[in-house]
């Protein structure tokens, strides 16, 4: 059933306002807290130093770079390792990056934590996040690791074909579902549920040993049915809080995760550690020979930052989807519907 024009307009304006508001504040505080746990998990999954690329809003904080508090979308190509691993940096090397070039990649998806209201915009974002997840895997070498911080619809969306395409390239090692508002808790409209997904790039010809993440199913939550990925049915302990549902006047209910106050950091440490240890136990990854006490940036190969996310094609596409849906559902000439 079509919504009245004023309702569609309100939803489109709400989406635009949420995007605009999110661009004014960087989630660097949250990513600074996530940073040590994420790199420790990647190390335990087999990353022992090497070439990395970190992209998205919060990339600076994930590499502890200057200017992390300035809102914007960054792309940083670097060599990361323990301070004693200076042999990883060749002063005569001109590293250009590209496909199959990195030992590890981390991507923070655009608008990952924004609560969108327009169905067309939600679908557009879900497809963009799936495509960028595929592209992130394509950038790491076979056997390399990829971490993506994305909206929960990458796993929960009714888009199994997109996840099948991702599974062609890589194996899901594990996923963590963060509490609502984990990245920008001080901002209204940025309390969408986000996930941390950990992948390994599968060498060509090797059979898949991925955790199951293709299918979804409808589950009752607080009297409403919400579609969830089978991964979290198998691993409910990887949800850092209590799953719930918020009813909307138009459209389906919204998934929420209510975290336990003051426990996200410790629960993230425990959950990522469990993912790494079970991946090692199941033979999905080979742990490094030794665990250095800490890793950092040894060299920067290329670094860029776009001041506003609106310059990114992904955000433009979602804005356009929200606007176009409003126009399609609005009254046409002489009051006739344009559907």
């Amino acid at each position: 059933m079509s919504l009245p024009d004023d309702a569609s307009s309100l939803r489109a304006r709400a989406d635009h306002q949420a995007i605009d508001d999110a661009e004014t504040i960087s989630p660097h505080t949250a990513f600074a807290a996530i940073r040590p746990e994420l790199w420790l998990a990647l190390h335990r999954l087999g990353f022992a130093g090497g070439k990395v690329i970190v992209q998205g809003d919060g990339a600076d904080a994930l590499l502890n770079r200057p200017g992390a508090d300035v809102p914007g979308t960054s792309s940083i190509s670097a060599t990361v390792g323990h301070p004693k691993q200076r042999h990883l940096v060749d002063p005569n090397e001109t590293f250009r990056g590209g496909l199959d070039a990195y030992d590890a990649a981390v991507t923070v998806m655009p608008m990952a934590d924004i609560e969108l209201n327009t169905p067309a915009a939600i679908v557009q974002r879900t497809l963009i996040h799936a495509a960028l997840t595929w592209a992130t895997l394509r950038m790491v070498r076979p056997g390399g690791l990829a971490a993506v911080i994305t909206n929960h619809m990458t796993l929960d969306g009714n888009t199994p074909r997109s996840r099948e395409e991702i599974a062609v390239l890589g194996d899901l090692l594990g996923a963590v579902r963060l509490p609502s508002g984990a990245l920008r808790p001080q901002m209204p409209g940025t309390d969408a549920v986000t996930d941390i997904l950990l992948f390994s790039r599968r060498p060509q010809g090797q059979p898949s040993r991925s955790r199951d993440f293709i299918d979804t199913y409808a589950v009752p939550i607080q009297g409403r049915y919400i579609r969830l990925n089978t991964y979290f049915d198998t691993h409910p302990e990887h949800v850092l809080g209590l799953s719930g549902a918020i009813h909307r006047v138009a459209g389906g209910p919204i998934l929420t995760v209510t975290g336990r106050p003051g426990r996200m950091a410790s629960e993230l440490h425990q959950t990522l550690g469990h993912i790494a240890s079970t991946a090692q136990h199941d033979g999905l990854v080979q742990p490094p020979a030794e665990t250095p006490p800490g890793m950092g940036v040894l060299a920067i190969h290329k670094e860029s930052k776009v001041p506003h996310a609106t310059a990114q094609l992904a955000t433009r596409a979602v804005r356009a989807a929200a606007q176009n849906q409003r126009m399609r559902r609005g009254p046409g000439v002489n009051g006739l519907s344009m559907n």
Side-chain angles (χ1 to χ4, degrees):
M1 182 178 71
S2 296
L3 289 172
D5 181 52
D6 56 347
S8 296
S9 297
L10 286 173
R11 290 167 69 169
R13 285 200 294 270
D15 289 350
H16 283 252
Q17 188 63 55
I19 293 171
D20 289 341
D21 289 345
E23 291 174 357
T24 65
I25 293 184
S26 169
H28 67 282
T29 301
F31 284 124
I34 291 171
R35 178 179 65 240
E37 306 303 338
L38 180 61
W39 287 107
L40 177 60
L42 289 172
H43 175 74
R44 295 185 64 188
L45 290 169
F47 176 70
K51 300 294 193 298
V52 304
I53 185 166
V54 183
Q55 307 171 95
D57 189 6
D60 310 88
L62 288 173
L63 283 176
N64 199 22
R65 298 290 295 158
D69 58 334
V70 178
T73 300
S74 298
S75 177
I76 306 171
S77 173
T79 296
V80 169
H82 186 265
K84 294 182 179 180
Q85 294 178 300
R86 289 292 172 182
H87 64 278
L88 295 175
V89 180
D90 182 354
N92 299 317
E93 177 189 26
T94 302
F95 180 70
R96 301 187 182 280
L99 303 180
D100 306 320
Y102 295 95
D103 300 295
V106 180
T107 299
V108 181
M109 298 298 170
M111 303 163 291
D113 60 339
I114 295 176
E115 193 63 75
L116 296 174
N117 296 277
T118 308
I122 295 171
V123 171
Q124 186 81 323
R125 176 178 61 185
T126 301
L127 295 176
I128 289 170
H129 284 197
L132 291 177
T133 299
W134 186 93
T136 301
L137 273 166
R138 191 66 181 82
M139 297 179 77
V140 300
R141 60 171 176 78
L145 297 171
V148 298
I149 300 173
T150 183
N151 187 267
H152 75 96
M153 291 297 287
T154 301
L155 288 189
D156 292 340
N158 191 20
T159 53
R161 287 283 299 275
S162 296
R163 291 186 289 273
E164 288 172 355
E165 291 296 324
I166 295 170
V168 169
L169 279 181
D171 294 333
L172 180 70
L173 303 175
V176 182
R177 179 148 290 175
L178 302 178
S180 301
L183 302 186
R184 266 180 280 239
Q186 70 273 50
M187 290 294 298
T190 58
D191 52 358
V193 175
T194 52
D195 295 337
I196 300 176
L197 311 182
L198 299 169
F199 293 93
S200 64
R201 172 77 183 276
R202 188 168 56 253
Q204 189 172 7
Q206 181 174 302
S208 173
R209 296 186 294 174
S210 176
R211 308 299 190 195
D212 184 15
F213 73 104
I214 303 299
D215 297 323
T216 60
Y217 63 105
V219 297
I221 298 178
Q222 297 179 342
R224 300 177 178 89
Y225 280 89
I226 290 184
R227 186 169 293 278
L228 295 179
N229 194 277
T230 52
Y231 177 87
F232 289 108
D233 181 44
T234 307
H235 301 284
E237 73 279 9
H238 293 178
V239 180
L240 305 189
L242 180 65
S243 297
I246 296 178
H247 179 68
R248 290 189 291 191
V249 175
I254 298 173
L255 175 70
T256 65
V257 174
T258 303
R260 290 167 276 269
R263 294 177 57 182
M264 192 187 93
S266 61
E267 290 180 347
L268 181 62
H269 176 84
Q270 179 181 358
T271 304
L272 288 173
H274 179 258
I275 288 171
S277 61
T278 54
Q280 292 178 17
H281 179 270
D282 295 344
L284 301 182
V285 296
Q286 294 296 322
E290 60 182 34
T291 303
M295 287 190 177
V297 175
L298 301 179
I300 295 291
H301 305 294
K302 188 175 181 181
E303 186 173 14
S304 63
K305 188 165 189 172
V306 179
H308 299 291
T310 46
Q312 302 302 303
L313 292 177
T315 308
R316 290 179 179 176
V318 170
R319 286 183 183 273
Q323 180 70 13
N324 289 340
Q325 177 157 308
R326 184 189 68 80
M327 293 175 64
R328 286 197 303 270
R329 291 187 170 183
V333 178
N334 299 324
L336 297 176
S337 173
M338 297 174 65
N339 289 341

